Amino acid sequence: MIITPTFTSGFDTNFGSNATAAKEAWIAAAKVFTDAFSDDIHVNINVDAVTGTDVFGESSFWFVSISYADLFNQITAYASTQNDAIAIGPGGSMSSTDPTNGTGTWKLTRAQAKALGKIPDDMANDGGTTFGTGNAFTFSGPIAPNTFDFHGIAAHEIAEVMGRTGISGSNNTFSLIDCFAYTGPGKRSLKGGAGNFFSIDNGTTLLKQFNDSSVNHLDTRDWAGSTNDSFNQFENSGVVNPVSAVDLQVMDVIGYGRVNSIGSLIETVGHITFLRAHELGSGFGKAPNFLDAEVIVQLAEEPLLSFGFQLRTDQNAPTRLDMFDLLRSAFVGGRPIRLDYVTKGPRAGEIIRVANP
């Protein structure tokens, strides 16, 4: 994933002598997400600044409409992490049926729609972040007393452009993060309010409390603020407000993850849980994870991925038969196997070599 800022002339003018430090802090904040996630997309953000303190930090973005059925299919197709596996699995927060019973409208931010394959990747603008230069910020190093951690604020706003924003029933419209709001086991809270928590397992584990928007009429999916955190609704001065592990969990399940670029050559080792050879030309899976293959393999260590290769009467047949024999032997013996594969989709790989570890 590449996050590209376009700093406006107003950013330079209004930050003045602090402009360079502010740019470096913003770029460092973006790097938190590019280091954590590897989706093969560009996120393009306009970065502005205004004078005074009326604006602290704010974001803007464009929405893309999506049906719930399509949303669930895209989430499933692009799932790539253990968090995703929990969220879409039995007892997960992402149900296959629309939690609004078909009455609601669903939207993704533009960057999020690219991550989930709803729209193609491009270099068009995906949104913006704006900061008020009248506020006292620390841009690097220890946070000075009575100043605010600009790095944490920038990460907060960048994450919103990426989709960490709740629509929460406004005009009967919802965003993906709303699917992960619960007040207890099995008790969804799509519209926000008191006692809302982030959960990826249908409310069984309440990971962190959301802001109570019914009290302050502010963002429904910022944190309530029990600890110092970049994603809090309110930031404390004089402290670091980091992007926490649970913050990255949020970004993970709302569309971002470990997705290797199509055509990447990857090696993995694991124990076979599924091995099948089927009829010629029938293929396996569906777009974007379709494999034009006759032999299909799945590994315990890579539960979301499927691997395969063709087993046809051609010049590669002897090698492919040897590969199949190695797979069968490892499967029957319960031994690990090494696969070298080329990525064909977010959850699909074409095996080019099979070997013992």
Side-chain angles (χ1 to χ4, degrees):
M1 181 166 61
I2 298 173
I3 299 178
T4 303
T6 299
F7 295 100
T8 68
S9 59
F11 188 95
D12 289 325
T13 299
N14 294 324
F15 266 119
S17 61
N18 289 322
T20 297
K23 287 179 181 179
E24 290 174 351
W26 194 100
I27 291 168
K31 190 174 184 294
V32 171
F33 302 112
T34 57
D35 284 349
F37 305 112
S38 57
D39 304 86
D40 192 17
I41 62 167
H42 296 80
V43 180
N44 308 300
I45 301 178
N46 197 59
V47 188
D48 199 6
V50 294
T51 59
T53 58
D54 288 345
V55 172
F56 186 65
E58 67 181 16
S59 63
S60 60
F61 33 81
W62 290 268
F63 283 117
V64 174
S65 295
I66 188 170
S67 70
Y68 185 82
D70 194 8
L71 176 63
F72 181 78
N73 287 338
Q74 295 306 107
I75 283 289
T76 302
Y78 284 82
S80 61
T81 67
Q82 183 61 29
N83 290 320
D84 294 333
I86 294 170
I88 65 175
S93 296
M94 282 299 299
S95 61
S96 59
T97 56
D98 185 346
T100 72
N101 295 315
T103 64
T105 298
W106 294 87
K107 293 185 182 294
L108 301 169
T109 66
R110 199 174 186 283
Q112 193 178 23
K114 290 195 286 191
L116 288 170
K118 175 61 178 175
I119 62 173
D121 184 42
D122 60 23
M123 297 305 296
N125 184 258
D126 296 307
T129 61
T130 303
F131 307 94
T133 61
N135 299 287
F137 296 123
T138 291
F139 299 103
S140 64
I143 310 303
N146 301 314
T147 72
F148 296 93
D149 176 11
F150 186 80
H151 181 281
I153 297 162
H156 180 113
E157 307 304 336
I158 293 167
E160 290 184 345
V161 176
M162 293 173 67
R164 189 192 60 82
T165 183
I167 306 177
S168 307
S170 177
N171 296 318
N172 202 31
T173 301
F174 302 88
S175 52
L176 179 52
I177 196 173
D178 293 325
C179 293
F180 297 93
Y182 286 80
T183 58
K187 296 180 179 179
R188 288 190 182 276
S189 188
L190 290 172
K191 295 186 177 181
N196 272 226
F197 286 80
F198 169 59
S199 175
I200 66 174
D201 59 2
N202 198 37
T204 300
T205 307
L206 302 177
L207 292 167
K208 201 158 188 175
Q209 188 170 6
F210 287 120
N211 173 56
D212 184 358
S213 58
S214 66
V215 171
N216 53 40
H217 308 292
L218 298 172
D219 293 348
T220 58
R221 303 309 177 203
D222 285 351
W223 301 136
S226 58
T227 59
N228 296 320
D229 193 298
S230 172
F231 290 4
N232 286 351
Q233 176 64 72
F234 302 103
E235 302 289 346
N236 294 319
S237 65
V239 297
V240 173
N241 288 296
V243 176
S244 64
V246 72
D247 296 345
L248 294 178
Q249 274 188 288
V250 170
M251 302 307 294
D252 184 346
V253 297
I254 65 169
Y256 301 91
R258 293 292 179 187
V259 181
N260 294 301
S261 301
I262 304 304
S264 299
L265 178 60
I266 311 294
E267 177 187 294
T268 188
V269 175
H271 294 78
I272 300 171
T273 57
F274 177 87
L275 175 63
R276 186 177 88 180
H278 55 252
E279 60 274 16
L280 181 69
S282 59
F284 181 83
K286 58 184 180 180
N289 296 303
F290 177 75
L291 285 168
D292 182 16
E294 284 73 57
V295 175
I296 303 298
V297 183
Q298 294 173 345
L299 302 178
E301 291 78 3
E302 301 274 10
L304 293 175
L305 301 182
S306 296
F307 311 94
F309 59 86
Q310 295 177 349
L311 194 59
R312 301 177 183 178
T313 305
D314 57 21
Q315 68 273 20
N316 296 315
T319 300
R320 300 292 173 84
L321 285 169
D322 287 344
M323 289 164 56
F324 189 38
D325 287 342
L326 274 173
L327 291 171
R328 284 192 297 186
S329 176
F331 187 34
V332 171
R335 299 189 303 274
I337 197 76
R338 188 178 81 200
L339 306 179
D340 295 341
Y341 67 94
V342 175
T343 55
K344 292 294 184 179
R347 297 175 60 176
E350 179 186 356
I351 299 170
I352 61 172
R353 183 169 181 262
V354 176
N356 292 312

